[in-house]
Amino acid sequence: MTAVTRGQPAESMYLNQPRPGLVAQVFAPDKVSLKGQYEYGSVFSNDGKEFYYAVIVNKKPQIRLSTLKNGKWTEPAVILASDRYEYNDPFLSPDGTKLFFISDRSLDGQGDKKDFDIWYIDRRKDGWSEPVNAGRAINSDKNEYYMSFTADGTMYYSSNGATKPPNEQNYDIYASRFSSGGFQRSQKLGSSINSEQYEADVFVSPDEKYLIFCGERSDGFGKGDLFISFKDEKGAWQKAKNMGKEINTDQYEFCPFVSSDGKYLFFSRSGDIYWVSADIINTLR
């Protein structure tokens, strides 16, 4: 997985939508965040010319893609879907050659559904490869959710693999370095991030200076809030803080993603995708 420099999407990107300020707005209500449809978990490619997101259809999440071609955005096309399995939480590798996601599909893609694992498909000249499981360094016998990457390929994700009943919802955030052609044994982040409650849906900045995640905590604004942690001068994660009422409501906020130009924070809420100026991150430092 090659380290890359993050691209700088042109101002004509973002599905030609009016840019938000410090008040979160529904993203692309005429193209993506449609009434009567549940969308979440979005990500743009580094060059801003591909937009991936998940949609629930007949109770099964699927992954869709809209592409900028000849100055126009294509209608969203389904790239991963099944009547049996769920596909969601799309995220591109730093070099854009792999699309990662989570799924409850069986390892052979034929049997009964299982717990959620992290998978990926390889980009090829003639399309995408068949799904590949990310392996035992990442996946456990329980659930793994929502991944993101630093510029050097380190994966951040969440799992409840280390918990036991009745604490199945005690998801924690982990990191796995990528070296020698594969992911290394994952390390659980410390108590400045993780707690005895739910932490998942983690976005890490490419330079690994901050991370944003969804937490279900008693001191939150609603069912699930977005929290943020910054690294200190010694490289340690500071105690995570709630991102505040400008982001969080009495509903559920999850699936954060910051565009590669650093200008916009995307997240999901109540079946729609939202975006807001990433300047809001600097107000929390």
Side-chain angles (χ1 to χ4, degrees):
M1 189 177 298
T2 305
V4 297
T5 301
R6 306 292 276 197
Q8 296 294 320
E11 285 300 310
S12 60
M13 306 301 183
Y14 302 113
L15 278 68
N16 300 316
Q17 297 297 302
R19 306 301 193 261
L22 293 176
V23 177
Q25 304 289 334
V26 175
F27 179 69
D30 56 336
K31 297 180 180 180
V32 174
S33 299
L34 304 178
K35 292 183 178 180
Q37 182 174 278
Y38 197 103
E39 312 90 4
Y40 63 107
S42 61
V43 61
F44 273 93
S45 59
N46 284 344
D47 63 7
K49 296 181 180 180
E50 295 177 337
F51 179 68
Y52 300 82
Y53 65 105
V55 181
I56 297 178
V57 178
N58 296 326
K59 299 182 179 180
K60 294 294 183 183
Q62 58 181 234
I63 295 175
R64 296 182 181 178
L65 165 64
S66 183
T67 305
L68 182 61
K69 293 183 178 180
N70 300 319
K72 296 183 179 180
W73 286 91
T74 63
E75 288 297 314
V78 177
I79 60 172
L80 283 167
S82 170
D83 293 333
R84 177 182 294 181
Y85 308 124
E86 299 185 23
Y87 294 96
N88 58 71
D89 291 357
F91 207 97
L92 287 164
S93 61
D95 60 9
T97 63
K98 292 178 172 60
L99 178 68
F100 285 78
F101 57 92
I102 68 169
S103 179
D104 59 356
R105 63 177 277 148
S106 63
L107 292 177
D108 63 4
Q110 302 294 325
D112 294 336
K113 65 181 183 179
K114 59 186 291 295
D115 60 282
F116 282 92
D117 278 355
I118 293 173
W119 297 72
Y120 65 88
I121 49 179
D122 282 303
R123 191 191 298 270
R124 296 176 175 174
K125 292 182 179 179
D126 59 349
W128 296 97
S129 72
E130 289 297 311
V132 179
N133 191 278
R136 296 295 298 180
I138 300 294
N139 294 314
S140 69
D141 293 330
K142 293 186 180 178
N143 294 321
E144 280 69 45
Y145 285 168
Y146 198 92
M147 77 305 300
S148 60
F149 297 92
T150 63
D152 67 3
T154 296
M155 180 194 291
Y156 279 68
Y157 69 98
S158 61
S159 174
N160 66 344
T163 63
K164 297 179 180 180
N167 297 316
E168 291 291 318
Q169 285 301 107
N170 181 18
Y171 283 75
D172 288 315
I173 294 171
Y174 292 77
S176 174
R177 299 289 175 186
F178 188 86
S179 65
S180 303
F183 290 104
Q184 305 305 301
R185 185 174 179 178
S186 301
Q187 301 294 320
K188 179 180 172 180
L189 273 61
S191 59
S192 60
I193 306 296
N194 292 314
S195 70
E196 293 301 313
Q197 301 177 72
Y198 177 96
E199 289 88 24
D201 288 11
V202 57
F203 172 82
V204 62
S205 64
D207 60 6
E208 211 167 4
K209 294 295 181 64
Y210 69 84
L211 58 82
I212 301 171
F213 64 92
C214 172
E216 297 179 5
R217 298 181 175 181
S218 57
D219 60 348
F221 288 82
K223 299 176 182 178
D225 285 1
L226 292 185
F227 290 78
I228 191 168
S229 172
F230 298 93
K231 276 191 173 179
D232 61 23
E233 295 178 353
K234 296 182 179 180
W237 290 113
Q238 299 178 21
K239 183 175 178 59
K241 63 179 73 173
N242 191 294
M243 293 191 73
K245 62 182 180 180
E246 289 77 12
I247 297 293
N248 297 312
T249 67
D250 60 355
Q251 301 178 58
Y252 202 99
E253 282 76 31
F254 61 116
C255 291
F257 162 73
V258 176
S259 56
S260 62
D261 58 7
K263 292 183 177 181
Y264 304 105
L265 166 64
F266 291 78
F267 63 95
S268 304
R269 176 198 293 156
S270 303
D272 283 322
I273 295 168
Y274 283 74
W275 65 329
V276 67
S277 171
D279 288 343
I280 200 164
I281 293 172
N282 294 325
T283 69
L284 296 166
R285 292 183 186 275

